[in-house]
């Protein structure tokens, strides 16, 4: 298998793997007398800054003789028709950095620039899409995801992650598994073959970038607000998620109590539990409203693109689905967990205003409501919301009691363990009903 370097930020991060490979006996000398590594070394670009720096970093990495010798070695071993460098791109941390529009733009831009750079170097790229099970972490209908990828980015093949609950939903029985495998295979073939015969849908990157810049400004204004951290810590069950034992990694990278140190999964999971789904829509309303006001011609162009397969349609369809999951009544219920009335009023005012703005702007783009475009999905969401109300109220009740116990230093008592167990059961139940974790 490949050696994937998480949070790749410099060429030395990748070259260090060759040093470790030498110590492990994984370097060989090829017929030309060059050193080559038996295992592929794969960069993983996760944050917005890393995505923006990725073309230059990979270009420098491909210029090292050991890198090219290793690619030739893998080409021979795997009987590939060309040199292939695998590159993993992350959807989670870029979303946590700047919101969904900025994340999707920078992923689109990075893939486009990486492919152009690799062609100059005589290498094809095989993108490994590190998608999660939620919209905030890259989830969405596979066929629409593949058709929205930049032209030429599937030529070297493709890899994609499937999260635990997604595997269960898609492959738990033979018929579902066969359908999803066929869908993925056909969509991948279409992404490779169609551009050779049909002019690809042109995505106006300048509009996408403009929307990205506006949305990230609104998103960063929220998460950098002085009252945001205490609000978020109270309104979501993040303290419960951090005590759960359901992940392969701890909730925080180093243990610091900061947003930057928090991993993307609990960040998304917490907002989903509280029915905000904020990570999948915040900032979109501000960006679209500004486009409609300041660039009406571009807004009309955007409306016309909603019948195509462009990346903007794919992103906004997913945003519309996330808006269907956001429940204002439940949001107000969880907001009651914030004991400081001033903080609660300030932050809920900001969030509710953006939610209202986003609902109106997305409706203006599509010209139809979510219920009109996807009636079955809307009905399913409505039924789930109604049936989940009592469960959400129970979770909020236990959260209040658990936090009172923690404030008295009694979380390790028998009562504390009992309440935490009840909370973890409520988290599991809500996640199962919504079919969304992190």
């Amino acid at each position: 298998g490949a050696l994937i370097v998480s949070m790749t930020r410099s060429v030395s991060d990748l070259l260090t793997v060759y040093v470790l490979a030498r110590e492990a006996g994984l370097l060989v000398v090829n017929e030309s007398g060059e050193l080559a590594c038996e295992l592929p070394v794969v960069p993983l670009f996760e944050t917005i800054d890393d995505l923006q720096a990725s073309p230059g970093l990979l270009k420098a990495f491909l210029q090292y003789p050991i890198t090219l010798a290793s690619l030739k070695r893998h080409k021979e071993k795997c009987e590939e028709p060309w040199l292939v460098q695998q590159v993993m791109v992350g959807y989670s941390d870029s979303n946590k950095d700047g919101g969904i529009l900025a994340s999707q733009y920078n992923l689109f831009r990075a893939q486009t620039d990486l492919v152009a750079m690799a062609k100059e170097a005589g290498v094809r790229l095989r993108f490994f899409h590190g998608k999660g099970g939620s919209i905030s972490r890259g989830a969405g209908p596979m066929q629409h995801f593949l058709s929205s990828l930049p032209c030429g980015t599937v030529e070297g093949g493709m890899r994609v992650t499937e999260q635990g609950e997604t595997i269960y939903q898609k492959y738990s029985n033979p018929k579902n598994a066969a359908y999803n495998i066929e869908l993925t295979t056909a969509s991948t073939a279409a992404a490779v073959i169609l551009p050779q015969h049909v002019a690809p849908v042109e995505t106006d990157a300048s509009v996408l970038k403009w929307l990205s810049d506006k949305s990230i400004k609104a998103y960063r204004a929220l998460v950098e607000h002085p009252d945001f951290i205490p609000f978020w810590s109270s309104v979501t069950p993040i303290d419960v998620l951090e005590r759960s034992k359901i992940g392969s990694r701890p909730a925080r990278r180093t243990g610091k109590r900061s947003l930057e140190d928090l991993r993307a999964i609990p960040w998304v999971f917490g907002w989903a539990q509280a029915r905000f789904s904020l990570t999948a829509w915040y900032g979109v309303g501000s960006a679209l409203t500004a486009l409609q006001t300041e660039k009406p011609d571009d807004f009309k162009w955007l409306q016309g693109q909603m019948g195509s397969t462009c990346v903007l349609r794919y992103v906004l369809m997913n945003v519309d689905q996330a808006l269907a999951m956001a429940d204002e009544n439940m949001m107000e219920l969880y907001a009651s967990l914030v004991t400081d009335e001033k903080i609660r009023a300030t932050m809920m005012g900001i969030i509710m205003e953006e939610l209202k703005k986003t609902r109106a702007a997305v409706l203006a783009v599509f010209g139809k409501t979510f219920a009109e475009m996807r009636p079955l999905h809307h009905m399913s969401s409505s039924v789930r919301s109604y049936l989940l109300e009592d469960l959400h109220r129970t979770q909020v009740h236990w959260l209040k009691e658990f936090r009172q116990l923690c404030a008295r230093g009694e979380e390790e008592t028998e009562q504390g363990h009992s309440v935490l167990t009840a909370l973890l059961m409520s988290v599991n139940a809500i996640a199962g009903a919504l079919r969304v974790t992190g």
Side-chain angles (χ1 to χ4, degrees):
L3 296 166
I4 299 172
V5 182
S6 179
M7 289 290 180
T8 302
R9 287 178 174 161
S10 67
V11 178
S12 62
D13 291 339
L14 302 174
L15 297 178
T16 300
V17 178
Y18 290 138
V19 177
L20 297 173
R22 181 190 64 188
E23 299 303 311
L26 292 172
L27 289 190
V28 296
V29 179
N30 62 19
E31 295 178 356
S32 304
E34 300 171 306
L35 277 177
C37 185
E38 290 280 36
L39 297 178
V41 177
V42 179
L44 168 51
F45 302 112
E46 300 181 75
T47 67
I48 286 178
D49 287 345
D50 294 345
L51 287 167
Q52 291 174 347
S54 62
L57 192 154
L58 190 64
K59 181 178 181 179
F61 179 60
L62 291 175
Q63 290 175 347
Y64 281 84
I66 191 172
T67 303
L68 291 176
S70 298
L71 294 182
K72 292 174 185 175
R73 174 80 175 174
H74 306 148
K75 175 180 178 291
E76 294 168 1
K77 285 175 63 179
C78 300
E79 298 182 349
E80 298 268 18
W82 42 66
L83 297 180
V84 175
Q85 170 65 51
Q86 191 177 149
V87 175
M88 190 169 185
V89 288
Y91 288 69
S92 307
D93 284 280
S94 56
N95 179 286
K96 186 162 76 74
D97 276 353
I100 191 165
L101 269 180
S103 170
Q104 291 292 330
Y105 165 71
N106 282 283
L107 283 160
F108 186 91
R109 183 78 268 163
Q111 290 174 73
T112 302
D113 293 346
L114 282 165
V115 166
M117 179 279 302
K119 283 184 178 178
E120 292 179 3
V123 175
R124 290 201 180 190
L125 298 186
R126 178 167 296 146
F127 284 104
F128 187 175
H129 299 275
K131 291 152 52 73
S134 61
I135 289 170
S136 305
R137 298 184 55 236
M142 182 60 75
Q143 68 274 28
H144 298 316
F145 165 72
L146 287 167
S147 65
S148 72
L149 291 174
C151 186
T153 57
V154 193
E155 289 181 355
M158 183 195 72
R159 295 184 68 187
V160 62
T161 56
E162 291 277 26
Q163 197 162 302
E165 76 273 15
T166 308
I167 293 174
Y168 175 78
Q169 292 164 12
K170 289 184 175 181
Y171 308 104
S172 58
N173 66 66
K175 288 187 177 180
N176 272 355
Y179 170 77
N180 282 290
I181 290 172
E182 287 177 3
L183 186 65
T184 302
T185 303
S187 301
T188 304
V192 175
I193 297 169
L194 285 179
Q196 301 174 20
H197 304 280
V198 180
V201 175
E202 294 294 332
T203 295
D204 191 332
S206 64
V207 174
L208 186 52
K209 183 181 186 305
W210 194 92
L211 289 169
S212 168
D213 291 343
K214 290 290 183 180
S215 68
I216 197 172
K217 184 178 179 181
Y219 178 86
R220 295 307 306 178
L222 174 73
V223 299
E224 291 171 3
H225 192 287
D227 292 335
F228 179 77
I229 295 297
F231 175 81
W232 160 70
S233 301
S234 298
V235 82
T236 69
I238 184 61
D239 46 347
V240 176
L241 298 177
E242 289 181 322
R243 289 174 170 85
S244 67
K245 298 178 176 63
I246 58 175
S248 59
R249 297 171 293 178
R252 296 182 183 275
R253 288 189 166 86
T254 66
K256 293 179 181 178
R257 303 297 299 178
S258 66
L259 183 60
E260 290 73 19
D261 196 58
L262 183 74
R263 292 189 187 276
I265 292 176
W267 165 248
V268 174
F269 201 174
W271 286 115
Q273 286 277 303
R275 299 301 294 278
F276 281 70
S277 298
L278 178 147
T279 53
W281 56 262
Y282 199 91
V284 175
S286 291
L288 289 176
T289 302
L291 185 71
Q292 188 174 19
T293 304
E294 300 174 28
K295 292 175 171 280
D297 290 341
D298 285 342
F299 189 82
K300 288 180 181 178
W301 172 85
L302 179 61
Q303 289 174 313
Q305 293 298 300
M306 292 304 103
S308 72
T309 58
C310 73
V311 64
L312 276 167
R313 177 182 182 272
Y314 172 70
V315 173
L316 292 178
M317 285 288 287
N318 286 339
V319 168
D320 203 23
Q321 181 177 333
L323 290 172
M325 293 180 62
D327 187 314
E328 285 90 330
N329 291 330
M330 293 301 102
M331 291 163 68
E332 293 286 359
L333 173 66
Y334 280 86
S336 69
L337 292 165
V338 183
T339 54
D340 189 310
E341 292 184 8
K342 183 179 178 182
I343 290 177
R344 180 171 67 242
T346 299
M347 297 311 300
M348 284 299 288
I350 294 171
I351 291 171
M352 288 299 197
E353 177 62 27
E354 181 67 17
L355 178 59
K356 180 181 177 182
K357 195 181 292 184
T358 305
R359 289 194 191 281
V362 170
L363 176 59
V365 170
F366 284 110
K368 293 181 180 179
T369 64
F370 183 75
E372 292 171 322
M373 290 190 293
R374 303 170 76 177
L376 293 179
H377 201 131
H378 175 262
M379 182 182 69
S380 174
S381 297
S382 299
V383 171
R384 289 169 194 269
S385 293
Y386 172 72
L387 295 175
L388 275 170
E389 283 189 18
D390 287 342
L391 192 52
H392 282 297
R393 295 185 190 281
T394 300
Q395 186 180 77
V396 168
H397 166 76
W398 288 122
L399 277 169
K400 289 178 179 178
E401 183 166 342
F402 182 68
R403 288 169 181 175
Q404 289 171 0
L405 289 169
C406 290
R408 298 196 298 266
E410 298 175 5
E411 65 266 31
E412 294 301 327
T413 63
E414 184 177 346
Q415 184 183 6
H417 287 298
S418 176
V419 173
L420 179 59
T421 299
L423 274 168
L424 291 171
M425 290 175 66
S426 73
V427 166
N428 188 52
I430 292 171
L434 292 175
R435 302 176 73 185
V436 172
T437 56

